[in-house]
Every structure is written in C-alpha cells, then in structure tokens.
C-alpha cells in the first residue's frame, strides 16, 4: 500500500480549491509537484496572478518526504508551502488550526505580533533611528558524520520600527567550521573585475528596499558560540560586517552591537521562597522576564542571564547573553528589556520563547537548509574523506582532517520570492 501526498491549491480570494485536490506517490514527489505547478500557473498567468501558497497533506510516517518537498518548492519552483500531517487534519482542533494560521500568515509576509513600544516608537536605541536586527547560527552535523558540512544561517529584520519580519539566507561551509564564511565574500569576474557580496550585504540591501532607509544601527545576536571562541568569532564576523557595509558606500559604517546567546550551560535560577505565589509561576519556576546581571556574572564584562519564557515542565533554563561589542552604548536595562521584548515577537506561538527571536529564526533556517543538500552529498563526501584518510594514516583523526579541508558543495539557491518571507516558520 502506497503512502500518498495530497496537494491543495487555493486562490487568494476564493476559499474553494482552485484546482481539485490531487494525490501522488511519495517516490514521485518531484514529478507530481512540477506537474501541479505547471497546471496552476497555466490557469493563473492569464489573470496576472501567481501561486500564493501550496498546502500539502502528508502521511503520518513520511520519512524524507517533507525534506524533499521543501527542497523542491523553495529552491526549484519558488513556492511558499505549508505541510500538515494527516492525523492532525482529520482532528481539525481549534488549537491546531490557530497554530497553522500563525505560520501561514508570516509566510505570506504578515505580522502576528508587534510590540506596543515599537508602534509608539519608544524602544531605546531602536525606534529613534533605522535599526536592523540580525540573528545568526551555525548548525553542525551529528557526531560521527565526518563528511557532512556545517550549515550557517543569517536572518535580518526587514521592517522598522516594528522589527518583526525577518528575511533569511543559508549557506554550507566546511565541516565543524564555527565562523560564518559567507558573511562577506569577494570573487573575480572576467568582465566586471572584483565583485563583493555575502549574506550581510544582501540583507542590508533587502532592508533598504523594504523600508526605503539604510540602517544606522546594527544589533547582531549570534547563537551557539562557546566561550573559548568568543573573540575569534567576534574579530572575524565583526570585520565581515564592517567590510559588507563599506562595500555599499565607502563611508557607511553603522554602529554595531554584537551579542552572543548561549543555552548550553548548567546555571539554573530559583526563587528565594517557593511558597510565595507572586515569585513563581504555575510550574514553580521563576517568573518570565527574570534577569540576573550580578553576583554570578562576569566581574568586568557585560553579560546577563535572562529567563524570558514561562516554564511548562521541569526547571527553566535561562539564556546567557554576552555583549562582546557595543558601539551603540546600551545600558544594561535597555538591552535586557529589548532582548526580553523580542522574545515575545516569535511568530510560531503566542507565548514568549527562551531565546531572542532572531537567533531562534536563524536556528530554524539552518535546520531547514539541511534538507537542501543533495541526497548523494554524504556518500560522495564519505568516499573522498575515506580515501584521503588512507593516505594520511588510519583512524578517525585523519578522516576529520580530510573532511575539514574537503571542498564544500554549495547549497541550491533560494528563490527570491521565498527568501523575502519567513519560509522557515
């Protein structure tokens, strides 16, 4: 018995299906998607319209089907899609439909949450001048996958002063490489000479197109950096930000605040009195919005612990924020308040989340990009690193060394209409 996938094509102004629902076998997902896309565009183009959304109902056990579908839609066809599991569609619970609506809205370019202080332009050092907020993350392959590349993702706000919409870019880089290599890059063109580009430059240009203004401040939240790599990451990535800005205009140097976000630590915070109902939430954890910036923090550097989310089960783990560079001269209260408030703008739920939203989005985008790698990437990479390892000597050390120096196959490019919206939600 074959598992089947169902495609539902809706016109924006009509709740009824624009075309009848079609089913297809999972092993023919690419052929079915492209055929369906061609049918829809044939009907829409004469009316001057495009396909806004593709809804796909997946079987409960779909294996690699979800990843294949996202790769084809986002890098080949240029379609924004949303997937639902069959068991959830049959239940049709109000909560599930509300969660689906949240995700679909931001995929259309909408907003689910806007801070009151953003609307009234009262956010210190954000609302007074055009400010872009970045989130960046690097995800590494699982232990034992010595040939898979690391995936870097960078997202950046595309609206001001609301700072709720984030465009995202992804790239593959060397195995276990923590520094984001494509923040700024140059290459030689036979006709035009030296060309500059990279993720920062592209997102700055996108911000200007969306808002009509160039950012005068940059706030950069960087996830997943260990303390031993703080200053290596800061020097490399801050320099990349500087070069990207200078490549747009010679004297364009917006002020930068560079903050590292950490979740992997062993610090836990507890109320002084567990019996005081005003000091704990329903799960017995500290209240969301609790900040600690003394006693247990660094004696001279700018860091703080923030528990921005309400605990559901177990002991809440606060996020640890290290401010490595601050040209915007934030005081502690202003940056802590901004960071906590941004945790409430996360698009996929109506609660605050445990880390600042831009960093969370970057993590989602990096995870999504794993699906973009061609199916034979791991096999061919394993063969290359294995052969190199035989020449250098036996053992896992030589394999890892070969993987680190092996050429990285670039990811397929995201389509322009996809990367402008929050496709990773």
């Amino acid at each position: 018995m074959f598992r089947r996938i169902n495609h539902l094509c809706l016109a924006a102004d009509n709740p009824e299906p624009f075309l009848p629902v079609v089913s297809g076998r999972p092993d023919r997902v690419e052929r079915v998607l492209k055929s369906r896309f061609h049918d829809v565009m044939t009907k829409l183009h004469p009316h001057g319209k495009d396909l806004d959304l593709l809804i796909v109902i997946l079987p409960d056990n779909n294996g690699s089907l979800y990843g294949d579908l996202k790769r084809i839609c986002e890098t080949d066809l240029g379609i924004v899609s949303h997937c639902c599991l069959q068991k959830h569609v049959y239940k049709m619970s109000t909560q599930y439909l509300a969660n689906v609506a949240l995700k679909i809205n931001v995929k259309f370019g909408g907003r689910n949450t806007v801070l009151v202080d953003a609307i009234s332009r009262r956010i210190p050092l954000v609302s007074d001048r055009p400010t872009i907020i970045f989130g960046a993350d690097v995800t590494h392959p699982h232990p034992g996958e010595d040939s898979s590349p690391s995936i870097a993702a960078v997202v950046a706000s595309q609206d001001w002063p609301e700072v709720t919409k984030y465009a995202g870019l992804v790239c593959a880089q060397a195995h276990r490489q923590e520094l984001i290599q494509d923040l700024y890059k140059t290459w030689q063109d036979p006709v035009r000479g030296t060309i500059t580009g990279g993720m920062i430059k592209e997102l700055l240009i996108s911000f200007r197109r969306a808002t009509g203004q160039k950012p005068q401040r940059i706030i950069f939240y960087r996830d997943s950096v260990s303390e031993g790599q703080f200053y290596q990451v800061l020097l490399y990535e801050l320099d990349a930000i500087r070069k990207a800005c200078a490549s747009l205009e010679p004297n364009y140097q917006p002020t930068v605040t560079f903050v590292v976000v950490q979740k992997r630590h062993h610090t836990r915070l507890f109320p002084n009195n567990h019996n005081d109902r005003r000091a704990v939430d329903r799960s017995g954890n500290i209240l969301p919005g609790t900040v600690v910036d003394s006693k247990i923090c660094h004696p001279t550097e700018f860091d703080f612990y923030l528990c921005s989310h309400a605990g559901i089960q177990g002991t809440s783990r606060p996020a640890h924020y290290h401010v490595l560079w601050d040209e915007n001269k934030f005081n502690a209260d202003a940056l802590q308040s901004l960071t906590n408030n941004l945790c409430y703008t996360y698009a996929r739920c109506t609660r605050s989340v445990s880390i600042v939203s831009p960093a969370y989005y970057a993590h989602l985008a990096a995870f999504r990009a794993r699906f973009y790698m061609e199916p034979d990437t791991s096999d061919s990479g394993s063969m290359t690193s294995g052969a190199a390892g035989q020449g250098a000597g036996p053992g896992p050390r030589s394999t890892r060394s070969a993987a680190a120096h092996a050429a990285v196959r670039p990811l397929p490019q995201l389509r322009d209409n996809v990367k402008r919206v929050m496709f990773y939600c």
Side-chain angles (χ1 to χ4, degrees), residues 3 116 135 158 221 228 267 301 359:
R3 300 171 297 176
V116 173
Q158 299 295 293
Y221 287 99
T267 302
E301 296 179 1

Side-chain angles (χ1 to χ4, degrees), residues 127-174:
S127 297
D128 59 335
R129 289 194 292 170
T131 301
I132 185 170
I133 300 179
F134 285 90
D137 189 21
V138 178
T139 62
H140 303 293
H142 296 296
E145 294 185 28
D146 292 333
S147 59
S148 298
S150 294
I151 303 292
V154 179
V155 303
S157 59
Q158 299 295 293
D159 54 345
W160 178 84
E162 295 88 353
V163 290
T164 55
K165 298 180 182 179
Y166 290 82
L169 298 173
V170 293
C171 70
Q173 57 189 39

Side-chain angles (χ1 to χ4, degrees), residues 275-317:
N275 297 320
D276 185 357
R277 293 288 92 188
R278 296 171 300 176
V280 296
D281 61 14
R282 288 181 297 176
S283 63
N285 281 290
I286 55 175
L287 295 173
T290 301
V291 174
V292 175
D293 59 4
S294 61
K295 304 293 186 183
I296 61 173
C297 296
H298 197 280
T300 58
E301 296 179 1
F302 187 179
D303 70 317
F304 58 92
Y305 290 91
L306 169 62
C307 185
S308 55
H309 64 297
I312 298 175
Q313 185 176 12
T315 304
S316 297
R317 179 188 297 177

Side-chain angles (χ1 to χ4, degrees), residues 124-255:
L125 299 173
V126 173
S127 297
D128 59 335
R129 289 194 292 170
T131 301
I132 185 170
I133 300 179
F134 285 90
D137 189 21
V138 178
T139 62
H140 303 293
H142 296 296
E145 294 185 28
D146 292 333
S147 59
S148 298
S150 294
I151 303 292
V154 179
V155 303
S157 59
Q158 299 295 293
D159 54 345
W160 178 84
E162 295 88 353
V163 290
T164 55
K165 298 180 182 179
Y166 290 82
L169 298 173
V170 293
C171 70
Q173 57 189 39
H175 178 77
R176 292 283 166 184
Q177 171 62 259
E178 185 59 46
L179 306 178
I180 303 177
Q181 301 297 302
D182 280 5
L183 287 182
Y184 174 77
K185 58 184 180 180
T186 62
W187 64 95
Q188 293 295 322
D189 183 88
V191 177
R192 294 185 294 168
T194 302
I195 307 296
T196 62
M199 303 165 93
I200 297 291
K201 183 175 181 178
E202 185 171 346
L203 290 169
L204 289 173
I205 293 172
S206 178
F207 179 92
R208 178 140 192 194
R209 286 175 180 163
T211 65
Q213 303 182 76
K214 60 182 180 182
Q216 298 179 34
R217 289 195 185 98
I218 292 175
I219 302 173
F220 197 95
Y221 287 99
R222 178 66 157 87
D223 196 9
S224 304
V225 180
S226 63
E227 291 191 26
Q229 292 181 300
F230 274 1
Y231 293 100
Q232 182 185 9
V233 168
L234 174 66
L235 290 173
Y236 183 88
E237 297 184 2
L238 182 61
D239 182 60
I241 295 171
R242 294 272 188 238
K243 289 178 178 177
C245 293
S247 69
L248 292 170
E249 292 181 13
N251 297 318
Y252 176 50
Q253 289 296 333
T255 51

Side-chain angles (χ1 to χ4, degrees), residues 62-63 66-68 70-71 74 136-142 145 149-155 168-172 223-224 264 346 348 358-373 411 414 423-425:
N62 54 75
Y66 175 84
D68 292 340
K70 289 296 183 182
R71 174 177 55 82
E74 293 166 2
D137 189 21
V138 178
T139 62
H140 303 293
H142 296 296
E145 294 185 28
S150 294
I151 303 292
V154 179
V155 303
L169 298 173
V170 293
C171 70
D223 196 9
S224 304
R264 295 183 180 180
Y346 186 63
R348 303 209 305 175
Y360 210 141
Y361 293 145
H363 177 77
L364 293 177
F367 185 77
R368 170 66 60 81
R370 288 266 162 211
F371 296 132
Y372 301 161
M373 292 191 292
L411 296 175
L414 287 168
F423 65 92
Y424 42 80
C425 284

